[in-house]
Amino acid sequence: MAWFALVLAGILEVVWAVGLVYTKGFTRLVPSVVTVIALAGSMWLLAFATRTLPIGTAYPIWVGIGALGAACAGVVLFGEAVSPARVVFVVLLVVSIVGLKVTAA
């Protein structure tokens, strides 16, 4: 259950990170509310997951899911550039996330 909560927390981190763009500096009500709710949910689920998982595993995986999702969303939703170097570093991020999961106690 902790791993499921952690993955869901990471997905919500992507939602709030992307939501920041749509809030236009928290001047738009609906995107602002969605962003704040996603942020609170993400933090709560991370806290729930750390009741079972070590923080040294849970936090980096949470951040990694958020970073990976935000990078992909930037390309897909906002037309951000895709360079070979960027792809390499995203792949390294995925390898790191998987490595932390595989080596978790």
Side-chain angles (χ1 to χ4, degrees):
M1 188 66 173
W3 284 107
F4 176 76
L6 184 60
V7 170
L8 189 54
I11 291 168
L12 286 176
E13 184 182 11
V14 175
V15 171
W16 72 256
V18 171
L20 287 173
V21 176
Y22 291 105
T23 68
K24 304 284 187 204
F26 290 102
T27 60
R28 298 178 65 212
L29 180 62
V30 172
S32 297
V33 169
V34 170
T35 299
V36 170
I37 290 170
L39 179 97
S42 180
M43 297 299 280
W44 185 85
L45 287 166
L46 175 62
F48 175 82
T50 59
R51 287 158 67 188
T52 304
L53 302 173
I55 191 68
T57 300
Y59 181 75
I61 289 175
W62 177 72
V63 169
I65 292 169
L68 174 64
C72 292
V75 170
V76 172
L77 299 174
F78 308 119
E80 294 177 5
V82 179
S83 67
R86 189 171 185 171
V87 170
V88 167
F89 288 115
V90 167
V91 169
L92 287 172
L93 182 59
V94 171
V95 169
S96 297
I97 293 168
V98 171
L100 285 168
K101 166 65 172 108
V102 170
T103 60

